[in-house]
Amino acid sequence: TPRAPEPPVAPPPAREEEAPNTAKGNSIADRSIRVNVEVLDSLGLLAGDLLVESARGRLRSTETAALFERFSRLGDRFLRMSEEVDVPDAIRAELERAEADLHMLRDDAFRFVRRNGDGIETLHGNLAQLADHVAEARLVPLATVFDAFPRAVRDIAKTQEKDVDLVIENADIGVDRSMLADVRDALVHLLRNAVDHGLESPDLRQQMGKPATGRIRIRVRVDGDMLHIEVEDDGRGMDTDRLKQVAVNKRLLSPVQAAALSEREAIELIFRPGFSTREQVSELSGRGVGMDVVKRKVETLGGSVGVSSRQGRGTTITLRLPQSLALMKVLLVRLGDDVYGMPAADVVAVMRIKPDDRMEVFGTLAVRHRGKPTALVALGPLLGLNGGNRFDKPPAVVVRHGDDYAALVVDGFVDEREVAVKPCGGEFLKGAPFIAGTAALEDGRIAVLLHVPDIMTEVRRMARPVTQAPASRRLRVLLVDDSPIARATEGALVKALGHNVEEAQDGEEAYAKVQTNTYDLILTDVQMPKLDGFSLTRRLKATPSVARIPVIILSSLASPEDKRRGLDAGADAYLVKGELGVESLAQSIDRLT
């Protein structure tokens, strides 16, 4: 006969010192459940949409209060008119009853407005709190990826015959679940390079007076909505002279360009794709393997990468990225009739640019901000939009990416608010440069969210000084544009090529100057008052005395039809402002002159 099942063995009683921990673990387990990440993503989008809808409710509440205010003023006018009119007693009594009813109706209306406003504000506050809780629920402790790092570092160090201590600080800080994989991949690259190429061998370290065991430290901290992750080693640091030499050997730079690089610019060579190979890195005091991957991943998340290094002392690489991608605080600015948003974490200040504040540094337009020259760029032309700000004191947003700053001129400020970021839909905006996503506003408009790393890359490319042209090639150029900021930006590019620039505010002024002065080249905008660029070009080409002067049209109009109109007018070249840079401008000028 089969045996009866044995009774379950009771677990031994927990020791006194284990009991509190066991109870605590059970308590945490009782208060935790597994939730599908897709459900959290949906909740995040829904919370963001509800937040926008509650903002629309606040706008409607304000509009309703304004309507009742107009109604109240109209009632007062009616009452004043009734007092001035001489009417029979019966009608006077009826007017007094109407006046009483009007006062009661007005009181009831204003009580409704007040209660409705209070309710809307309470609802908006609750929805904002809901959105914050959903964003917090999406956070996962970085320890979930950090826990695997000590063993991985030991394994890499063992293959290199090195001794390494890995210290991790604040691993309990959370990061958005959707960012976890990219953050892990970036840190794996940094740790591998720190062990493989940053830390010296034990023998060499002892010869240098260092402990035989190298140290790598990962520090995590939160600054507002941004997450800072520092990976620091006490290795050999980076030899900037050797980095420059490798760049020259790989024909990434000429010897003259390499010699002109600052220490920081030389260190940033490591971000060039494929800058170094294993054999080359073994000879260099630095690193390079995978750093382009790290930079690309972090900037895709809306963050930045910074590097500081001291030769013989070590290197620190800092990742700065948003803690959550579901909701983002943005500064909304206006360009023309459209609204654009920039992450508030990237905005340093807002200001108005006075004419006296502008300066020129190595042929680049700049403005002094907090005592330092900062590149000044018109955001509209940079994005390929029309013109630039036409105010004498235009508004500007000072943004920061890593260690770079720029003052971006806009048409106006709208507001700062928290928005739900959504990816670009369709093919029109998807993959477009400078664009990170979109957000719905309470008035029904869609704000385009700008990708600051892309903008700063373009600003740096425009602001980089180039070798000036020889004196024999120095040209006298007439620049025609009705926007002072656009003239300053484009003029800085021409001056950086070593040419002399004169300016005209419109086609009429430009045509008058051509009659009395000699020019080697004319650069003109299209959309200007009095005489536009197409008409100016036709008039110039129809005037025999100046028809030989090459004309380059600079315009934000980029359609094939616009380009055809420009060339039909007689222009010798047509350049789109959004694609304008030192290289493209230099090529066109060299070809035409």
Side-chain angles (χ1 to χ4, degrees), residues 42-56 127 327 420 422 440:
S42 299
L43 283 175
L45 292 175
L46 181 60
D49 290 340
L50 289 174
L51 201 57
V52 172
E53 188 57 41
S54 70
R56 288 175 179 157
L127 288 175
L327 291 172
K422 296 186 178 181

Short mmCIF file of all heavy atoms in Angstrom, two decimals, residues 42-56 127 327 420 422 440:
data_model
loop_
_atom_site.label_atom_id
_atom_site.label_comp_id
_atom_site.label_asym_id
_atom_site.label_seq_id
_atom_site.Cartn_x
_atom_site.Cartn_y
_atom_site.Cartn_z
N SER A 42 1.53 53.60 -20.82
CA SER A 42 0.19 54.11 -21.18
C SER A 42 -0.32 55.08 -20.11
O SER A 42 -0.91 56.11 -20.43
CB SER A 42 -0.79 52.95 -21.36
OG SER A 42 -0.38 52.09 -22.40
N LEU A 43 -0.10 54.72 -18.84
CA LEU A 43 -0.53 55.61 -17.75
C LEU A 43 0.20 56.93 -17.81
O LEU A 43 -0.37 57.99 -17.55
CB LEU A 43 -0.29 54.93 -16.40
CG LEU A 43 -1.29 53.84 -15.98
CD1 LEU A 43 -0.84 53.19 -14.68
CD2 LEU A 43 -2.68 54.42 -15.83
N GLY A 44 1.50 56.87 -18.14
CA GLY A 44 2.26 58.11 -18.24
C GLY A 44 1.73 59.01 -19.33
O GLY A 44 1.57 60.23 -19.13
N LEU A 45 1.45 58.44 -20.52
CA LEU A 45 0.89 59.25 -21.62
C LEU A 45 -0.48 59.79 -21.25
O LEU A 45 -0.80 60.95 -21.53
CB LEU A 45 0.81 58.40 -22.89
CG LEU A 45 2.15 58.00 -23.52
CD1 LEU A 45 1.92 57.06 -24.70
CD2 LEU A 45 2.92 59.23 -23.97
N LEU A 46 -1.31 58.93 -20.61
CA LEU A 46 -2.66 59.37 -20.22
C LEU A 46 -2.58 60.49 -19.18
O LEU A 46 -3.32 61.48 -19.27
CB LEU A 46 -3.44 58.18 -19.67
CG LEU A 46 -4.89 58.47 -19.23
CD1 LEU A 46 -5.70 58.98 -20.42
CD2 LEU A 46 -5.53 57.20 -18.66
N ALA A 47 -1.68 60.35 -18.21
CA ALA A 47 -1.53 61.40 -17.19
C ALA A 47 -1.09 62.71 -17.83
O ALA A 47 -1.57 63.79 -17.46
CB ALA A 47 -0.53 60.95 -16.12
N GLY A 48 -0.18 62.62 -18.80
CA GLY A 48 0.26 63.83 -19.49
C GLY A 48 -0.87 64.47 -20.27
O GLY A 48 -1.03 65.70 -20.25
N ASP A 49 -1.68 63.65 -20.97
CA ASP A 49 -2.81 64.19 -21.73
C ASP A 49 -3.83 64.83 -20.79
O ASP A 49 -4.41 65.88 -21.11
CB ASP A 49 -3.47 63.08 -22.55
CG ASP A 49 -2.58 62.62 -23.70
OD1 ASP A 49 -1.67 63.39 -24.08
OD2 ASP A 49 -2.79 61.51 -24.21
N LEU A 50 -4.08 64.18 -19.64
CA LEU A 50 -5.04 64.75 -18.68
C LEU A 50 -4.52 66.06 -18.11
O LEU A 50 -5.30 67.00 -17.86
CB LEU A 50 -5.30 63.75 -17.54
CG LEU A 50 -6.12 62.52 -17.92
CD1 LEU A 50 -6.17 61.54 -16.75
CD2 LEU A 50 -7.53 62.91 -18.34
N LEU A 51 -3.20 66.14 -17.92
CA LEU A 51 -2.61 67.38 -17.42
C LEU A 51 -2.82 68.51 -18.42
O LEU A 51 -3.14 69.65 -18.06
CB LEU A 51 -1.13 67.16 -17.15
CG LEU A 51 -0.43 68.11 -16.18
CD1 LEU A 51 -1.12 68.11 -14.83
CD2 LEU A 51 1.03 67.73 -16.03
N VAL A 52 -2.65 68.20 -19.71
CA VAL A 52 -2.89 69.20 -20.75
C VAL A 52 -4.37 69.59 -20.78
O VAL A 52 -4.72 70.77 -20.91
CB VAL A 52 -2.44 68.66 -22.12
CG1 VAL A 52 -2.86 69.62 -23.23
CG2 VAL A 52 -0.93 68.48 -22.15
N GLU A 53 -5.25 68.58 -20.64
CA GLU A 53 -6.68 68.87 -20.68
C GLU A 53 -7.10 69.72 -19.48
O GLU A 53 -7.95 70.61 -19.60
CB GLU A 53 -7.48 67.56 -20.69
CG GLU A 53 -8.97 67.75 -20.92
CD GLU A 53 -9.27 68.48 -22.23
OE1 GLU A 53 -8.60 68.20 -23.24
OE2 GLU A 53 -10.18 69.34 -22.22
N SER A 54 -6.50 69.47 -18.30
CA SER A 54 -6.84 70.31 -17.15
C SER A 54 -6.33 71.73 -17.35
O SER A 54 -6.95 72.69 -16.90
CB SER A 54 -6.26 69.70 -15.86
OG SER A 54 -4.85 69.82 -15.84
N ALA A 55 -5.20 71.88 -18.04
CA ALA A 55 -4.70 73.22 -18.36
C ALA A 55 -5.68 73.92 -19.30
O ALA A 55 -5.90 75.14 -19.19
CB ALA A 55 -3.31 73.14 -18.99
N ARG A 56 -6.25 73.15 -20.23
CA ARG A 56 -7.28 73.74 -21.09
C ARG A 56 -8.49 74.16 -20.28
O ARG A 56 -9.12 75.18 -20.55
CB ARG A 56 -7.69 72.73 -22.16
CG ARG A 56 -6.62 72.51 -23.23
CD ARG A 56 -7.04 71.42 -24.19
NE ARG A 56 -6.01 71.23 -25.21
CZ ARG A 56 -5.84 70.13 -25.93
NH1 ARG A 56 -6.65 69.10 -25.73
NH2 ARG A 56 -4.90 70.04 -26.82
N LEU A 127 -4.04 66.20 -10.77
CA LEU A 127 -3.52 65.56 -11.97
C LEU A 127 -2.01 65.73 -12.06
O LEU A 127 -1.30 64.81 -12.51
CB LEU A 127 -4.20 66.14 -13.21
CG LEU A 127 -5.66 65.73 -13.40
CD1 LEU A 127 -6.27 66.47 -14.59
CD2 LEU A 127 -5.78 64.23 -13.63
N LEU A 327 7.50 62.99 -18.51
CA LEU A 327 7.13 64.40 -18.42
C LEU A 327 8.40 65.23 -18.36
O LEU A 327 9.41 64.81 -17.80
CB LEU A 327 6.29 64.66 -17.16
CG LEU A 327 4.88 64.06 -17.14
CD1 LEU A 327 4.26 64.24 -15.79
CD2 LEU A 327 4.01 64.70 -18.22
N ALA A 420 3.87 66.55 -21.58
CA ALA A 420 4.05 65.13 -21.89
C ALA A 420 4.72 65.03 -23.25
O ALA A 420 4.16 65.46 -24.26
CB ALA A 420 2.69 64.42 -21.90
N LYS A 422 5.96 63.38 -26.58
CA LYS A 422 5.57 62.29 -27.45
C LYS A 422 6.49 62.26 -28.66
O LYS A 422 6.94 63.31 -29.14
CB LYS A 422 4.12 62.46 -27.92
CG LYS A 422 3.11 62.38 -26.78
CD LYS A 422 1.68 62.41 -27.30
CE LYS A 422 0.70 62.28 -26.14
NZ LYS A 422 -0.71 62.27 -26.61
N ALA A 440 1.47 68.56 -26.81
CA ALA A 440 0.23 69.29 -27.02
C ALA A 440 0.10 70.42 -26.00
O ALA A 440 0.44 70.25 -24.82
CB ALA A 440 -0.97 68.35 -26.92
#
